[in-house]
Amino acid sequence: MRPAGKQPMDIVKNIMKVIEELNHLKDVDTILDRVLFQARQLTNAEAGSIFLVHEGRLQFSYVHNDVLFRAQSGNKHIYTDFSLPIDDKSIVGYAALTGETLIIDDAYALAPDLPYSFNSSFDRESGYETHSILTIPLKTLRGNRVGVIQLINARDAQGQVRPFTKQDAEYAPFFANHASVAIERGIMTRELILRMMKMAEMRDPAETGAHVMRVGSYSAELYSKISVDQGRYEDEVRRTKDLIRLAAMLHDVGKVGIPDAILKKPGRLNPEEFSTMQWHTVYGAALFTNATSDLDALCRDIALHHHERWDGGGYPGSLPHDLSKVNGVCRQPLAGKSIPLPARICALADVYDALGSVRSYKDAWPENDILELIRKERGKHFDPLVVDAFFSIYDTIQAIKRKYQETDSQPRH
Ligand code: C2E
Ligand code: SIN
Ligand code: SIN
Ligand code: FE
Ligand code: FE
């Protein structure tokens, strides 16, 4: 609830402090990617996945597989929606339950007296052949169970699959502690952002959390596609993608400054109410005017410009220096490439998601109508480059949509 007697801009100033702390933090997907990469390098494993504990289950959260997909083209797989109970029936469940590291030489030749069995459905569906597996529980020093990392098919110097060695497994405790602390911090970053958005939107946390996760993920994947196509270096893309996910999650943070009577109005807004609503872009950007970090600058660009149109008919244009002196006249809209690319990306992600969602003032649109609108608005509302990227990664977009559905009460990692 908004505290009685507090003005919206006071609330805005209060949360600025929280946002500043975000500058030192990283998004959990980037952390999982690095953790998996490092663990595979240590052991020369060609594939691996990470499961994170979420609502008492192990949620499939990240995957690499050098044989089936290269890092960039495999993006949709990280959004696979799949979880297992923490029990002794599966390999990862057993590791999480007991805290034991498991070295398995051949997944298809497990001793029959073991409580767990190997789930071969992934192999059957993909044509991949799992042989050796190293499964490491992820626990923090305080003993918090974070999840499980599973490394698959170690390779010898000749490239042949070999069993994982005792030495491989010796890295495990060091690695698990190190990784678990970083992952926990990444999860906290997301939860912090989701709490802030809940404050800003004052809506059902389920709806807000899912919308925020989807818009962040769509934007991150669109950016990744566009910049890889432009020949950017992978390291640079990975870093910026992480920041764009966080900044896009905050695109509507300025709604904290919009009165409840307008924000939660069950029907259509009249023109005056809509022009008040449009200030959410400026309020959001005002949180990041002392842009000292890349994340700050991205947050400001996206908050301010996510309702611009490629053809120049959007809002609100340039950020005034002193909010108290501003009236509508100052807000000159931008057009085309003068709109920052991350904002052009978030514009499409936001509208795609808003149209597919129920709002207090509208039903969800059928998917085909939404795609038709996006095609129709190519070069009008939306940057053609972004529209083309959207259709070329449409399977990834759908995987994200399935993973973060409205019923979620919490983010999945
Ligand atoms: P939002 O609900 O997140 O919508 C984001 C954007 O998606 C909108 O930006 C608009 O470009 C697009 N969009 C959403 N619903 C529709 C729709 O039914 N038809 C079409 N053609 N486009 C749609 P916009 O218009 O600048 O609105 C910004 C925010 O203002 C919205 O965010 C929402 O919070 C609020 N809003 C806009 N119109 C109304 C309304 O009639 N009633 C209420 N209660 N809120 C509204
Ligand atoms: C997996 O398919 O990688 C996990 C299932 C299992 O541990 O058997
Ligand atoms: C960029 O990636 O920033 C340049 C491409 C564009 O502005 O569309
Ligand atoms: Fe908005
Ligand atoms: Fe939005």
Side-chain angles (χ1 to χ4, degrees):
M1 292 296 294
R2 187 170 286 166
K6 282 225 170 182
Q7 292 306 302
M9 280 313 282
D10 290 337
I11 302 173
V12 165
K13 281 179 190 141
N14 281 339
I15 63 177
M16 284 176 73
K17 275 217 284 290
V18 182
I19 292 173
E20 255 176 52
E21 289 164 24
L22 293 178
N23 293 332
H24 309 288
L25 305 174
K26 281 200 175 215
D27 186 66
V28 67
D29 271 13
T30 309
I31 295 166
L32 297 182
D33 190 69
R34 298 322 291 162
V35 163
L36 199 49
F37 185 78
Q38 284 175 16
R40 288 176 47 223
Q41 265 203 334
L42 277 174
T43 55
N44 207 27
E46 75 182 8
S49 52
I50 297 180
F51 290 74
L52 295 182
V53 174
H54 178 73
E55 291 178 348
R57 292 175 65 89
L58 286 163
Q59 174 76 33
F60 176 82
S61 299
Y62 215 85
V63 62
H64 283 173
N65 190 314
D66 280 353
V67 176
L68 294 181
F69 37 85
R70 294 285 310 139
Q72 288 300 334
S73 67
N75 287 357
K76 80 169 172 184
H77 300 281
I78 70 177
Y79 298 106
T80 303
D81 189 10
F82 166 64
S83 71
L84 288 167
I86 302 179
D87 62 19
D88 62 5
K89 301 291 186 291
S90 72
I91 296 167
V92 291
Y94 185 89
L97 187 70
T98 61
E100 282 174 39
T101 293
L102 300 179
I103 307 178
I104 292 168
D105 294 349
D106 186 349
Y108 289 92
L110 288 179
D113 57 340
L114 291 171
Y116 49 82
S117 57
F118 172 64
N119 174 356
S120 60
S121 61
F122 177 78
D123 278 13
R124 278 198 311 276
E125 281 160 26
S126 64
Y128 186 69
E129 277 181 49
T130 300
H131 297 289
S132 57
I133 309 180
L134 176 62
T135 306
I136 307 164
L138 296 172
K139 268 186 308 193
T140 62
L141 288 171
R142 284 183 298 136
N144 278 0
R145 237 173 9 193
V146 173
V148 175
I149 180 167
Q150 194 164 51
L151 302 171
I152 295 173
N153 289 358
R155 295 278 183 176
D156 64 21
Q158 284 73 45
Q160 299 301 305
V161 174
R162 61 161 172 81
F164 286 90
T165 62
K166 282 254 158 50
Q167 202 196 348
D168 289 333
E170 272 163 19
Y171 290 116
F174 158 75
F175 197 77
N177 288 331
H178 170 80
S180 303
V181 171
I183 291 168
E184 253 196 341
R185 193 180 303 145
I187 292 170
M188 280 167 53
T189 306
R190 267 196 195 170
E191 285 176 354
L192 190 61
I193 290 181
L194 289 165
R195 272 204 302 279
M196 284 174 38
M197 289 311 300
K198 186 174 149 191
M199 208 160 77
E201 298 217 10
M202 307 268 173
R203 288 192 179 135
D204 182 328
E207 182 191 319
T208 302
H211 170 65
V212 163
M213 287 307 302
R214 288 191 304 263
V215 173
S217 299
Y218 297 150
S219 300
E221 296 305 334
L222 287 168
Y223 170 79
S224 170
K225 170 69 183 158
I226 290 168
S227 38
V228 167
D229 285 356
Q230 288 176 340
R232 301 276 169 92
Y233 290 108
E234 249 185 65
D235 274 354
E236 185 200 328
V237 171
R238 192 182 292 121
R239 189 185 126 70
T240 310
K241 175 181 177 182
D242 181 35
L243 299 180
I244 286 183
R245 187 192 310 271
L246 295 176
M249 286 171 75
L250 290 166
H251 70 279
D252 272 341
V253 69
K255 283 183 177 172
V256 74
I258 304 300
D260 278 5
I262 294 177
L263 187 63
K264 301 210 278 190
K265 181 174 175 177
R268 302 230 53 111
L269 300 178
N270 65 37
E272 196 190 327
E273 290 165 337
F274 187 56
S275 97
T276 301
M277 174 58 93
Q278 292 181 340
W279 281 93
H280 79 276
T281 53
V282 177
Y283 292 156
L287 296 171
F288 307 103
T289 40
N290 308 316
T292 50
S293 69
D294 292 351
L295 180 61
D296 267 319
L298 269 175
C299 287
R300 187 199 50 206
D301 281 352
I302 288 181
L304 187 62
H305 297 296
H306 72 275
H307 289 296
E308 303 279 6
R309 291 171 54 104
W310 178 254
D311 63 14
Y315 64 93
S318 58
L319 178 63
H321 293 295
D322 181 352
L323 284 175
S324 64
K325 287 190 196 147
V326 166
N327 56 45
V329 181
C330 298
R331 300 186 295 164
Q332 201 61 33
L334 303 179
K337 288 199 172 193
S338 63
I339 307 163
L341 178 64
R344 282 179 262 150
I345 289 172
C346 186
L348 176 61
D350 185 34
V351 172
Y352 171 70
D353 202 68
L355 292 177
S357 308
V358 180
R359 290 281 194 266
S360 62
Y361 58 96
K362 62 172 264 297
D363 285 333
W365 288 26
E367 184 75 8
N368 279 337
D369 295 2
I370 302 174
L371 298 183
E372 197 182 308
L373 177 132
I374 290 173
R375 276 192 206 99
K376 195 179 83 191
E377 294 291 338
R378 183 179 182 279
K380 294 177 191 156
H381 190 155
F382 307 120
D383 179 355
L385 181 76
V386 178
V387 172
D388 295 346
F390 175 86
F391 285 108
S392 73
I393 62 162
Y394 187 67
D395 54 348
T396 301
I397 301 283
Q398 290 312 290
I400 294 167
K401 189 172 183 169
R402 278 193 299 274
K403 178 160 182 178
Y404 301 111
Q405 294 179 18
E406 292 302 331
T407 50
D408 279 8
S409 59
Q410 288 287 315
R412 296 181 193 172
H413 310 298

